[in-house]
Each structure stands twice: as structure tokens, then as C-alpha cells.
Amino acid sequence: ITFDVDTGSEVLPDQQGSYYINDQLKSLVCTFIQQYFAVYDSENRQGLLDAYHEKSCFSMTIPPNNPRDSSSQKVHSLSYYIKFSRNLQKVTDIDYRSKLLKTSKLGVVAFLTELPETQHDLASFVVDISMQTPTLLCFTVSGLFKETGRRSGHPQPIIAFSRTFLTVPAGPGLCIINDQLSIRKPSLSQLKGAFSTPAPTPSTSPVPPEIQAQSSLSQSAPLVAAVTP
Amino acid sequence: MAASDFKIKIAQACQAGEEFQKIYYDSLDKRRNKLSKLYSADASLVWNGNACSGSQQITKFYEQLPTSDFRVDTLDCQPIAEEATNGVTSVLVTVSGTVKFEGNRMQGFNQTFVLAQTGDVWKVASDSFRFHE
């Protein structure tokens, strides 16, 4: 990509939507995302065991110094996650850095099961496939989710996230080897558009057609496409 | 892999990521022509959904951006299992922070890198960047 501008330009390239490389990968990744978050948002995250490799890792970060402000957004909901944040700029002890990295499918899923219940806003998702080789596929999903558990209270806190999945092929699907979750306070414009589409809808909905929330019937289904024997 | 071996891998990954982010953002802010050496020849970049590949193209892309002032707020590094990389030692680096490009407002961003060991140096195999919101 080149730009016909002088140096000293103040123009940034336009922000584009999701980048999938090609249609085949788009289909593969969107199917994975639909299935993954259907289980993640369900009452039982144990179904995620099928999605993770034996040698998988998970860690998460939140920005330091979340400012308190007078908006109605419950800022304190982010501070719940501080104890899990593996920000190497703040955590310097090697033992603690190891502890905050969850490993093996059992370790990862056990941890994920303890995180607050969620509902992800699939209509908000932007996906970037950053790397593809015969042995790995790496992509980052950015969007919004809200906490829906009783502990989270009302109004349900809405959180912005970027989540990178580094996966290996597994049968017709994908198996996660690395999972990194960054969460932060959403912007005002993100909050305005959040969860504006009702849950599962027919083709008249404005939800991007490539990512549709799964119907509640299939939410309890295991991630059969992503099993590594 | 023994627990102690894995701990060493974690420490190595963290060290790689910490050193890398210092060099990378310093180069971006002050010495963009130095960026090409950080990328492998066939590296890929996705920048707010704009894609390009190869260290030369990627450096050219960055050189055309306005002057930047990056602040890193979070840094996280994970070792990548060799199953995924055909035996090449690799690290997943995730960064978030803020950036002010000349003539534009300050914005939050997230950036993900895959670093791969090439000889005795780390090179960026992939770079994925998105503004928040």
C-alpha cells in the first residue's frame, strides 16, 4: 500500500472493517467465533475444553490507573480484574508472571469458568487475521461484552475487549494454543451502539451477516468442530 | 516439558517482549527507517484493517504515517508452543496504550505481534494494530 503524499503528512489511512485474507478463512474464523462465544456466554464454560490445546496458554491485561469519573458506567467492574492482569510493566516478579499465565486446557478453562458471566455483542465484533501458515492461524477479535451475572448488578457493566487467538488446525476447525484478552472501559460512542440489535434475528437484521449470534438451542452444544483428539 | 523448562520459556518470552517493545516504539517515534530490520522478510502487517506484507512494504507503510508519540500502558507476552510454529521459537506479544499522531487526536490502541527467532535475533513475523473504538 502506498500513499501519494509528502512526508510530514497528517493524514492517517482510513480505518477498514474486518480483515479475513480470503473468503475461506473468513468462513472458518467466523464459525469458530460464533461457536466459541456461544459456549463462553453459556451457563457452563466447561464446553470450552474442546476448544483448547493441551499446551495452551491464557492471560489477560487491563490498563493501569482506571480513572473514576461521574458517568453512569460502573468503573469499579474493571477493578475486579486487576488481580488477574498480567501487565509485565507492572508485574516484575518471575514467579508471579508465571502464576498469572494460565496453562494447559484444564488450567485455562478452570480459570475462564471463574470469570464473571458474560454476553458478547457479536454485532460489535471486528476481526483481523494477522498471520497464516500451514501450522497456525492468528487473529484478533475486538468488540464489546457485558457482565450478566448477579454479582455484576445493574446496569450491567459493558466492557470493551481485544482478544487474540493463536490457533492450530484441528479437523475441520481450529484449536487454541494461545489466548490473550485485553479489556478496557468502552468509549461513549461504543456504549451508544452497544447491544442495539436484539438476540438471534432473521436476515432482516443489521447484524453483519458473517457473524450471527447462535440460537439458544445450539448454545449448549459442544465445540465439535474444534476437537483435538 | 518439565515445569522448570517451561518457566525458562516464560522468562525468555517476557524478556524478548520487553526489549522488543522498547526498541519498536522508539523506532516508530524517532527512527522509522530502522523498522525494516525488525521485520522478517515475509512478515505481515494489518493496520486498522489495511494489509501489506514484506519488511520493505511494511516499513514504507509506517514511514508514510504522521509523526507519532506512543505510550505503552500494558505489555503481555506468551511463549508459543512449537506445534504451531514448526519448531521455531516464537512469542506472542500484546500491547495496549495510547498514540498521538501529528494532526490527529490521541487514541487508544491495541497491537499484537508474533516474534520468531531467526538465527540469534527476534524478528516480527506478524503485526496487527487497531485503534480502540
Side-chain angles (χ1 to χ4, degrees):
Chain A
I1 299 174
T2 57
F3 303 95
D4 198 19
V5 293
D6 299 320
T7 24
S9 159
E10 298 182 344
V11 177
L12 292 171
D14 286 336
Q15 179 140 202
Q16 309 292 330
S18 297
Y19 178 71
Y20 292 104
I21 303 182
N22 61 49
D23 285 339
Q24 187 197 16
L25 288 174
K26 181 173 170 178
S27 168
L28 179 65
V29 168
C30 288
T31 300
F32 171 87
I33 288 172
Q34 284 165 5
Q35 295 183 326
Y36 182 88
F37 286 103
V39 179
Y40 196 90
D41 288 345
S42 76
E43 284 160 7
N44 189 0
R45 291 185 178 142
Q46 289 294 308
L48 294 176
L49 282 168
D50 289 338
Y52 286 89
H53 194 277
E54 283 300 339
K55 296 196 182 158
S56 50
C57 292
F58 170 88
S59 56
M60 65 180 294
T61 51
I62 81 170
N65 312 320
N66 288 292
R68 303 200 165 263
D69 63 343
S70 54
S71 75
S72 61
Q73 175 70 345
K74 276 188 176 172
V75 176
H76 70 260
S77 69
L78 272 185
S79 50
Y80 168 84
Y81 297 92
I82 288 177
K83 54 187 172 294
F84 307 128
S85 181
R86 189 172 184 264
N87 181 1
L88 302 179
Q89 295 205 321
K90 299 276 178 189
V91 177
T92 52
D93 175 67
I94 181 59
D95 288 326
Y96 205 52
R97 286 178 168 186
S98 292
K99 182 166 180 272
L100 288 172
L101 182 67
K102 307 304 171 186
T103 58
S104 85
K105 67 159 81 178
L106 286 178
V108 171
V109 176
F111 177 77
L112 293 178
T113 305
E114 286 183 24
L115 290 177
E117 292 164 47
T118 53
Q119 186 193 338
H120 283 72
D121 182 6
L122 269 63
S124 71
F125 283 10
V126 172
V127 180
D128 287 317
I129 298 183
S130 53
M131 187 166 176
Q132 183 211 4
T133 73
T135 51
L136 81 79
L137 187 66
C138 183
F139 52 95
T140 301
V141 184
S142 310
L144 303 173
F145 66 87
K146 63 182 174 190
E147 289 183 7
T148 52
R150 286 173 56 181
R151 263 187 318 175
S152 302
H154 282 91
Q156 295 169 326
I158 295 179
I159 294 174
F161 76 94
S162 297
R163 192 162 187 171
T164 298
F165 294 102
L166 196 144
T167 65
V168 294
L174 301 168
C175 187
I176 304 167
I177 280 210
N178 293 84
D179 178 357
Q180 205 287 339
L181 171 63
S182 301
I183 63 175
R184 57 195 175 263
K185 201 177 117 165
S187 67
L188 284 174
S189 64
Q190 280 182 308
L191 282 175
K192 272 198 205 125
F195 296 93
S196 52
T197 28
T201 47
S203 54
T204 49
S205 97
V207 174
E210 69 259 23
I211 298 181
Q212 301 263 357
Q214 296 235 301
S215 69
S216 51
L217 256 177
S218 48
Q219 280 209 355
S220 52
L223 286 169
V224 280
V227 174
T228 296
Chain B
M1 178 185 307
S4 53
D5 285 342
F6 192 59
K7 219 172 187 177
I8 292 171
K9 282 225 150 190
I10 294 175
Q12 183 191 42
C14 291
Q15 184 185 10
E18 283 175 302
E19 288 174 8
F20 167 76
Q21 66 93 13
K22 272 204 203 91
I23 296 168
Y24 179 83
Y25 291 103
D26 196 62
S27 301
L28 252 192
D29 285 348
K30 300 179 194 138
R31 280 175 283 273
R32 286 195 186 157
N33 57 337
K34 301 279 186 199
L35 283 176
S36 66
K37 292 210 149 132
L38 295 177
Y39 288 84
S40 66
D42 55 355
S44 56
L45 166 68
V46 183
W47 198 90
N48 283 323
N50 296 285
C52 62
S53 62
S55 58
Q56 289 215 340
Q57 284 238 342
I58 292 172
T59 307
K60 219 170 166 186
F61 179 92
Y62 277 120
E63 277 174 343
Q64 309 253 12
L65 295 179
T67 315
S68 59
D69 180 12
F70 274 88
R71 302 285 163 92
V72 172
D73 288 332
T74 73
L75 170 71
D76 192 5
C77 308
Q78 299 179 357
I80 301 174
E82 297 193 342
E83 273 82 343
T85 64
N86 237 351
V88 175
T89 303
S90 306
V91 177
L92 181 70
V93 179
T94 308
V95 176
S96 78
T98 58
V99 58
K100 170 104 177 53
F101 283 104
E102 182 93 24
N104 294 265
R105 65 185 173 91
M106 173 150 64
Q107 299 206 58
F109 76 90
N110 250 73
Q111 192 161 13
T112 301
F113 302 93
V114 172
L115 303 184
Q117 185 177 3
T118 313
D120 51 3
V121 294
W122 294 101
K123 294 260 182 185
V124 177
S126 82
D127 174 358
S128 179
F129 178 97
R130 274 256 175 212
F131 286 140
H132 294 166
E133 85 199 84

